[in-house]
Amino acid sequence: MTATIDIRTGDLDDERVLRLLNDHLEDCFATSPAESVHALDVSGLQTPDVTFWTIADAGEVVGCVALRELDPEHGELKSMRTDASVRGRGLGARLLEHVLAESRRRGYRRVSLETGPQEFFAPARALYAKYGFEPTGPFGAYRLDPHSVFMKLELPAG
């Protein structure tokens, strides 16, 4: 990894960002039934309860992540994606670390996420588990779904 890695608030008008999000949605719909796809499109990422970031390497946008505030103590990880060309370089971990640091800064006591049980999502589930996320039941507006895996990370107070 080079020193040219930069995480910043994402520009949802940037064509590179739109490509990443489109790829993310296409993979989700190719892997899961439509009623079980909970990935956010651009309009979902533009709501006041969502903060969206991108990660760039030498100025090239290669990943993104979002954090949705469910309540003042609970955040939800959304739209985590790295471009296939950079997978395995630790950029997903950098995005996750960024979201967790922001969650702590905001005073969240829990960060939750929904992902898929399919093999395609196994690397993501492994990354989340490495950072201490554990299986849980549905949260927020989610309902039990065989095409969803729910995970949570309890954050220490203070």
Side-chain angles (χ1 to χ4, degrees):
M1 202 163 347
T2 67
T4 59
I5 301 299
D6 181 40
I7 298 175
R8 65 178 55 188
T9 301
D11 177 359
L12 290 165
D13 292 321
D14 184 323
E15 288 298 321
R16 301 169 302 175
V17 172
L18 296 174
R19 179 188 53 80
L20 269 174
L21 294 172
N22 185 58
D23 290 350
H24 182 61
L25 288 169
E26 283 182 4
D27 283 343
C28 289
F29 280 104
T31 309
S32 303
E35 65 274 8
S36 297
V37 173
H38 304 288
L40 297 176
D41 61 11
V42 172
S43 65
L45 292 167
Q46 293 173 322
T47 62
D49 59 337
V50 175
T51 307
F52 177 75
W53 297 275
T54 57
I55 188 167
D57 184 5
E60 184 63 33
V61 175
V62 292
C64 61
V65 68
L67 180 62
R68 172 188 274 164
E69 182 166 294
L70 299 175
D71 66 48
E73 293 187 343
H74 191 182
E76 179 184 6
L77 182 73
K78 297 293 292 180
S79 301
M80 180 110 150
R81 174 76 179 200
T82 55
D83 190 77
S85 67
V86 298
R87 291 191 186 137
R89 291 184 43 211
L91 299 178
R94 294 276 299 267
L95 286 168
L96 184 56
E97 289 166 3
H98 182 83
V99 166
L100 294 177
E102 176 63 16
S103 296
R104 289 181 188 96
R105 189 193 68 73
R106 292 180 183 186
Y108 291 166
R109 299 295 313 271
R110 175 184 290 176
V111 177
S112 301
L113 63 89
E114 180 276 339
T115 190
Q118 299 87 350
E119 186 61 28
F120 177 81
F121 298 105
R125 292 191 312 272
L127 175 65
Y128 302 140
K130 179 181 175 182
Y131 278 81
F133 281 83
E134 300 176 335
T136 190
F139 59 92
Y142 293 105
R143 299 292 169 247
L144 199 57
D145 180 344
H147 302 285
S148 289
V149 170
F150 303 100
M151 301 178 84
K152 68 175 179 176
L153 175 66
E154 300 291 339
L155 299 175

